Each structure stands twice: as C-alpha cells, then as structure tokens.
Amino acid sequence: MSTEVETLEKLERRVTLTVAMAEISAEVDKRLKVRARTAKAPGFRPGKVPMKMVAAQYGAIVENEVLNDTVGRAFATTAASNNLRVAGYPRIEPKEGDGADGSLVFHATFEVYPEVKIGDLSSLEIEKSRSDITDVEIDKTIDILRKQRVHYHTKGEHHAHGDGGADTSAQNGDRVTIDFVGKIDGVEFAGGKADDFPFVLGEGHMLPDFEKAAIGLKVGESRTFPLAFPEDYHGKDVAGKTAEFTITVKHIEWAHMPEVNPEFAKSLGIADGDLQKMRDDIRANLEREVGGRVKSRTKQKVMDALLKVAELDVPKALLDQDAERLAEMTRDDMRQRGMNVNDMPFPADLFTQQADRRVRLGLILSEMVNAHSLNASPEQIKAYIENFAKAYEDPQQVIKYYYSDRNRIAEVEALVLEENVVNFVLEKAKVKETTVSFDELMNNAQN
C-alpha cells in the first residue's frame, strides 16, 4: 500500500491504495458462510442451501460490501499514518490497470483541514453594546401585558367595565365584525367576499384604505369605496388592480384592558398581588432579555472581526455539506408551515454565502479554542444552564431536562465555547462601549 501523499491544489490531496485480491476473496468467503446459515431457497430448509446458490444470490452484494470496507480501512490507516486531518469524505476511484499479483489499486482524492492563521487581536476595534432598563421600559412592558389580556364588550351596552362611551361608531382600537364584497370591473373575484369577518381597527391587519372606510360607521351602516391593491400584494390575481368594495358593519366592540391592580399582578404570577414585586419581576425579566440580546449583538461584532483578521482556505467538502444542511433545515421549516417542498428547486448557490461564513467561523473558533485552551468547563456549563433556567417557573425541571440528554449538554457546551472565545477576544482587542436604546435593541433583534 502506498502512503505517498500527493498535493493537487490548495487543500486537495490524493493517495494510492492497494488491496490484495486474496484478502478480498477470503473475507467474501467468510461472510458468505455466515449468510449460508440462514439463507432460504425453494426446496431447501433454512441453512441447507448449497454454497453455490448462496454465492450466486449474494456474491455480488457481499463482494461490494467487503471491497468498500477494505478500501475504507486502507484509507483510514493511510490517513492516520500520515497525520492527515481529512475534511469531508474521500472520493475513491479505481486506478487504471491492476496492481502486481492481481491486487486492486485505487486513488483516494480528498481535502484536508486548512491551517488557520489568526492575526493580531490587539489591532481589532470592537463595539460592545449596553442598554439600561428604566421605569419607562417597565411601563411599556406593562402596557403590552395589558393589551395581551384585552377583552371586548359591545359598544353601547352597559357592562361591569362600562359601555364604551357615548360614541357608538367604529374607531381605532375597536373590534368590528363586517360583511364585505369586492368587485373588479363589476365582477366578484376570489377571496373578495366574506361574511361575519372580524378584525381590530388600527392594528394593520387590513389594507389602510379598507380600515379607513370602516372608521365612523355604526352597526347596520354600509360604505362603498375604491381600494387599490399594491403591486407587490400577495394575491397575484389582484395585485396592482383597483377594486370596488362594499362593507356592512354588523357588530362593534370596544376594548377593555385590565387595570394595573393586585388582581392584574396575580395574573402575572405574583401570588400576593404586590405591585412593586410585579415591577421588580418585570425588571428582572427585561434585564435577562436585554442581557441576552446585548451579548448576542457583541458576539456578532466579535465574529465579524475574527473573519477579517483570520486567513484560511475553506474545504469545499465542508462548504457543500453545510449548504445542504441549511437547505434541509429550510425544507423542514417550510414543511412545518404546511408548504409542499417536494418538487421545489433549491439552487446550489442559494446557501453558499451563509455556509461559507458558518464553516469559516467554525474553523476559526476551533483554532482559538485549541490554541488558547478555551474549552468549556463543567462549572461553566452548569452555570449557563442554571442561569437560563431562572426564566422558567420550575428551574429544576429545566435543569433536569438538559442533564438528561447528552446532545442537549453538547449544545450548551458549544455556546459556552463561543462565549469563551468572545471574552478572550474582548480582553485583547480595543473595546468601545456604546449605549443602545431599549427600543432599538428590541427592533434590531426582530429584524
């Protein structure tokens, strides 16, 4: 067996593998005898089928299995003896002409992991964000929590919470139930008609002109108006066209949000209804959320900086594997949304840019961890899980959930490794602290 390693181009290598036919034949005979013990054929009891018939039925399959196994072991031995760090899988092809004494000769072409050169970290300038939680953010969050618990009452009818005021016409914030019908050139179109259709005015669920037309109407009143569909409207049949709609209001309800009182605090899990405890609890949750997003923002800056300062070639095998992994993740996500993706084409280069970044960062992080001993310790993993579990009602149950599965622990370990690298880079680089508003931080995280 040849152990000479040829360099073809950048990371691509080739080795020649020689396998003796006598070794293949002996292993094939051995495996066929094992199969013969349970082989079945018409007219013979199980295990009593003649070897010639067993060989005729299974010989080609077994020979292929043995050849693949033998060549695979030969490649693994060659790679290990030459200290080759193989990236992806080798492409093994038979070499023209047999070797000496009837042996088989193969070429194995493959890529190796690259050398990763990390530049001077002290030359990096990295922006580290911070965001403060004030009473303003707490009040905004309370308003959001109130809106999430909104309930509706018929306008004009007296309830325990009132009657909604003297004005019984539809206004922003009201929930209206309508019948509508739309026509283009006097003809109704698909999706342009509905009965007992409810929506909340002012929340942007309908086109602006549609909502505007409903404002001011009372129960039983109708209005006819033109509506121009945008060119990029999701309904392609009506996109860019103008329709004439007639709407009739059937029901109007006004929104009542719960008062901020002990009962409201209890609904948020504050057992004694103490409002200050509620605000403290909201502050702690916001600080945890902001802390995570600030950390993510800073990590992104560090990763961008490392990509600029690192030099390496990316193995095409790893790039292709990750692009396919991203494609499969996209397919799974689309299937879960109820979309049929079986016949949907995914261009080969659709995920290439994203995969290139992911693979590069993976190689860079691996180099950083190995070069500077940044492995995740059991104590760090434990602290990470415990901190994450604090956001849940039963932290111990969350902790048990993670420690019951090695794969979940591995996911946390990867996150801690990233944190270790980020902290190491921040210690070396020039760090500039900037304050980001709460709203900006939340909006950026959603984009």
Side-chain angles (χ1 to χ4, degrees), residues 86-287:
V86 180
Y89 300 99
R91 184 177 73 254
I92 297 178
E93 300 168 314
K95 183 182 178 182
E96 289 187 12
D98 294 332
D101 302 324
S103 59
L104 300 177
V105 184
F106 298 87
H107 279 319
T109 307
F110 56 96
E111 289 179 291
V112 295
Y113 278 87
E115 178 185 2
V116 180
K117 297 180 180 178
I118 308 293
D120 182 10
L121 297 180
S122 65
S123 67
L124 297 177
E125 295 182 2
I126 298 175
E127 183 182 287
K128 184 178 181 182
S129 304
R130 59 167 292 171
S131 186
D132 299 320
I133 301 299
T134 68
D135 286 340
V136 173
E137 284 72 45
I138 295 174
D139 290 338
K140 285 182 179 178
T141 302
I142 290 174
D143 282 341
I144 292 172
L145 292 169
R146 291 176 67 207
K147 289 177 182 177
Q148 290 173 349
R149 289 159 177 76
V150 68
H151 54 275
Y152 294 89
H153 300 295
T154 301
K155 267 194 168 183
E157 293 183 4
H158 185 74
H159 298 274
H161 299 129
D163 59 8
D167 185 358
T168 57
S169 66
Q171 302 296 326
N172 278 333
D174 291 342
R175 183 168 67 186
V176 296
T177 301
I178 65 172
D179 293 343
F180 69 81
V181 59
K183 298 179 180 180
I184 296 178
D185 297 329
V187 180
E188 292 183 18
F189 57 92
K193 182 178 181 179
D195 293 332
D196 298 320
F197 182 81
F199 68 98
V200 178
L201 288 168
E203 292 192 349
H205 296 309
M206 307 295 287
L207 290 173
D209 287 347
F210 199 101
E211 291 202 2
K212 183 179 178 181
I215 297 290
L217 292 180
K218 295 184 178 181
V219 172
E221 294 183 341
S222 299
R223 178 171 289 160
T224 299
F225 60 96
L227 187 146
F229 288 99
E231 293 288 345
D232 59 352
Y233 191 68
H234 59 81
K236 294 181 180 180
D237 292 340
V238 299
K241 297 180 181 180
T242 298
E244 184 179 77
F245 273 92
T246 298
I247 62 174
T248 301
V249 176
K250 302 179 74 174
H251 197 198
I252 304 174
E253 301 166 290
W254 63 281
H256 175 263
M257 292 197 298
E259 302 297 327
V260 181
N261 54 28
E263 289 304 313
F264 178 71
K266 288 178 181 178
S267 74
L268 297 179
I270 307 301
D272 60 4
D274 187 285
L275 295 181
Q276 187 56 50
K277 286 183 182 178
M278 177 192 73
R279 294 182 69 87
D280 291 343
D281 192 54
I282 291 173
R283 179 185 293 275
N285 288 331
L286 288 178
E287 287 177 345

Side-chain angles (χ1 to χ4, degrees), residues 327-379:
E328 190 55 41
M329 289 167 59
T330 303
R331 291 188 191 97
D332 288 343
D333 180 65
M334 294 172 73
R335 288 191 192 101
Q336 290 175 9
R337 296 170 186 267
M339 300 176 67
N340 182 7
V341 296
N342 294 332
D343 300 322
M344 188 176 295
F346 281 82
D349 59 347
L350 187 62
F351 302 98
T352 300
Q353 186 174 354
Q354 186 181 357
D356 182 79
R357 177 185 173 88
R358 283 161 50 99
V359 173
R360 283 181 184 275
L361 283 174
L363 295 169
I364 292 169
L365 292 177
S366 179
E367 173 64 23
M368 294 283 292
V369 169
N370 292 331
H372 304 288
S373 301
L374 301 177
N375 294 293
S377 68
E379 293 75 20

Side-chain angles (χ1 to χ4, degrees), residues 144 289 293 438-447:
I144 292 172
E289 176 72 11
R293 297 196 180 193
F438 178 83
D439 290 339
E440 179 186 349
L441 186 67
M442 295 297 140
N443 289 336
N444 286 345
Q446 292 170 4
N447 294 334

